[in-house]
Amino acid sequence: MEVIPIDLDENSYDIIIGENLINNLDDILSIKDERNFILTDRNVDMIYGDKLHNLKHFFKLTIEPGEKSKSIDVAIDVLRQMLEKGLTRKSTVIAFGGGVVGDLAGFCSSIYMRGISFIQIPTTLLAQVDSSVGGKTGVNLNDYKNIIGSFYQPKKVIIDVELLSTLPKKELMSGIGEIIKYGLIYDYEFFQYIKKEIEGIRSLNNNVMKYVVRRCCEIKARIVELDEKENGLRKILNFGHTFGHALEGGTNFTRYSHGEAVIVGMFYETILAKKMCVIQELYSNEILSFLESLGVDLSLSEYSTSVLIDFMTRDKKNKDNKISFILPINRGEVKEYLLDINEINWN
Ligand code: ADP
Ligand code: ZN
């Protein structure tokens, strides 16, 4: 079992990483209060519901799987259940699931009685390396992702890499997209490790996964510690996301998983950096050929550029009509560029 401390003054907490943690949850959680809540989704409950059964002092609420559940309406349902079950200021909410469950449970715990304790047990690779760390919570409204939400840190994050063994392949690739991003934005040696061990990652070798998840959490933690509320440095986590979010939105969130869209996004944003001459050819080619080797469809032929541009211009990170792009410039280093959309040549 490894522990990564996250240092955020009074909001500090630990990330615990290991295998088989799920079988000793009562010990690891050490919850004192009598009334607590565990939120999960139907798929996860079907596979791991038995393990949750043994937890003492917990009410379980199961939501429908998928992004549709990240809505204000479902949040109100969850909050109503929390109230009806008599949760108090001393209660704890556990998120047991992927990013949808984590974002929803985090949001509800941040506003119930002005904030009660919250613990993350992420079950997807994406949630283990990304969304469970950093304290962003939220739900979607209309077409806008995460437009209602809060910064709210969990009391603990418990990561059991064995939970990944049941994950569908597409969801696995989603996490791999974010893993590669961490190497490219912060740690070129880690990028080399990912390239070398990509088969170990794809086949979920437990030792490789424990190292990869740990390194991603460490990198994200260091970035979040320096910039908890996204005023500056934290923006580098958006590499691949300006384009990626537009691609997800432009395809109605049906064609690409989030991380797959980030892979396509990193690919085209690297090409953009190349066109702007802010990256060396040798390095950009290394990034592009690795992203190509992953087997994610990188061709955009069926989408109109205007739809993607429309989504990019709506991004909440834009400033003065310019679009914020995080572009790779050196090994393990990226930089923000604010670009006028009409001046970008995607072809
Ligand atoms: P993400 O973590 O990618 O943001 P979701 O919360 O939507 O996304 O989870 C993605 C899908 O994977 C959902 O259908 C969810 O029910 C399913 N899922 C989550 N964890 C597991 C797991 N450990 N095994 C199998 N399926 C899982
Ligand atoms: Zn992401």
Side-chain angles (χ1 to χ4, degrees):
M1 203 162 89
E2 304 223 27
V3 178
I4 304 173
I6 310 292
D7 182 8
L8 295 168
D9 301 323
E10 72 276 12
N11 294 330
S12 297
Y13 61 96
D14 286 340
I15 302 176
I16 298 164
I17 301 173
E19 44 196 306
N20 238 327
L21 302 180
I22 185 83
N23 292 322
N24 297 309
L25 267 189
D26 260 329
D27 288 345
I28 300 172
L29 290 169
S30 66
I31 301 265
K32 307 275 181 311
D33 203 73
E34 296 283 308
R35 287 171 182 274
N36 306 286
F37 213 70
I38 191 156
L39 190 71
T40 187
D41 76 25
R42 198 166 26 78
N43 293 339
V44 179
D45 190 44
M46 221 134 66
I47 307 172
Y48 298 104
D50 286 357
K51 315 248 179 202
L52 305 180
H53 217 68
N54 305 326
L55 275 182
K56 295 185 199 104
H57 314 307
F58 273 92
F59 300 104
K60 184 174 76 181
L61 179 65
T62 308
I63 58 166
E64 283 302 301
E67 191 74 19
K68 280 225 162 63
S69 286
K70 251 180 79 166
S71 69
I72 281 281
D73 292 344
V74 176
I76 290 171
D77 271 355
V78 174
L79 289 162
R80 189 173 288 124
Q81 294 272 344
M82 286 162 69
L83 187 63
E84 283 171 5
K85 298 289 187 219
L87 263 66
T88 69
R89 284 219 166 109
K90 296 205 174 105
S91 301
T92 297
V93 172
I94 294 188
F96 187 77
V100 168
V101 167
D103 285 2
L104 187 66
F107 178 60
C108 292
S109 21
S110 78
I111 55 176
Y112 185 79
M113 296 188 173
R114 299 207 175 84
I116 63 172
S117 294
F118 165 52
I119 292 177
Q120 294 259 27
I121 309 179
T123 63
T124 63
L125 183 57
L126 182 67
Q128 294 191 348
V129 299
D130 190 38
S131 52
S132 71
V133 184
K136 279 191 179 179
T137 83
V139 295
N140 308 328
L141 189 62
N142 298 341
D143 270 350
Y144 294 82
K145 278 194 87 173
N146 302 317
I147 199 82
I148 313 283
S150 56
F151 282 101
Y152 195 64
Q153 302 296 343
K155 287 278 178 275
K156 214 180 260 180
V157 180
I158 300 165
I159 299 181
D160 185 339
V161 294
E162 253 170 48
L163 296 173
L164 302 174
S165 64
T166 51
L167 209 57
K169 283 274 171 293
K170 200 173 174 71
E171 300 303 333
L172 190 62
M173 189 50 82
S174 189
I176 292 175
E178 298 283 355
I179 289 169
I180 296 166
K181 181 194 77 179
Y182 286 111
L184 294 174
I185 63 172
Y186 198 86
D187 184 351
Y188 182 70
E189 256 177 58
F190 182 48
F191 177 59
Q192 293 302 317
Y193 177 87
I194 297 163
K195 272 174 65 179
K196 187 160 76 64
E197 296 292 348
I198 189 68
E199 283 319 311
I201 297 174
R202 280 177 185 269
S203 62
L204 293 172
N205 173 298
N206 264 359
N207 286 332
V208 172
M209 289 320 283
K210 272 191 290 187
Y211 176 71
V212 164
V213 171
R214 192 188 90 200
R215 190 66 198 127
C216 291
C217 289
E218 277 170 357
I219 294 173
K220 181 144 188 196
R222 296 297 88 87
I223 295 169
V224 171
E225 279 168 0
L226 293 169
D227 180 19
E228 189 183 348
K229 302 275 164 76
E230 192 160 323
N231 297 314
L233 179 73
R234 194 165 172 160
K235 285 186 191 158
I236 69 173
L237 293 165
N238 288 320
F239 175 41
H241 282 64
T242 304
F243 197 91
H245 280 152
L247 194 59
E248 279 182 289
T251 53
N252 258 326
F253 297 93
T254 51
R255 167 134 190 205
Y256 299 91
S257 66
H258 173 67
E260 285 175 333
V262 170
I263 289 173
V264 183
M266 291 190 291
F267 185 81
Y268 285 100
E269 290 177 8
T270 302
I271 291 180
L272 185 58
K274 202 168 156 176
K275 285 190 178 148
M276 289 168 57
C277 300
V278 295
I279 186 171
Q280 278 182 346
E281 182 106 4
L282 194 65
Y283 180 44
S284 59
N285 289 343
E286 182 188 9
I287 299 176
L288 295 174
S289 61
F290 181 59
L291 295 175
E292 270 168 341
S293 75
L294 297 170
V296 175
D297 182 7
L298 297 167
S299 68
L300 296 173
S301 45
E302 46 190 295
Y303 311 117
S304 83
T305 327
S306 64
V307 172
L308 297 182
I309 288 174
D310 186 45
F311 272 92
M312 282 189 251
T313 47
R314 288 205 237 155
D315 199 297
K316 59 182 181 291
K317 290 175 190 80
N318 296 342
K319 236 197 239 151
D320 307 331
N321 287 328
K322 298 216 164 171
I323 301 182
S324 162
F325 283 96
I326 304 297
L327 302 182
I329 53 167
N330 265 315
R331 291 178 172 77
E333 196 188 337
V334 289
K335 190 175 155 195
E336 182 183 31
Y337 289 85
L338 290 167
L339 304 179
D340 187 325
I341 197 67
N342 299 313
E343 286 167 17
I344 300 172
N345 167 18
W346 292 106
N347 302 309

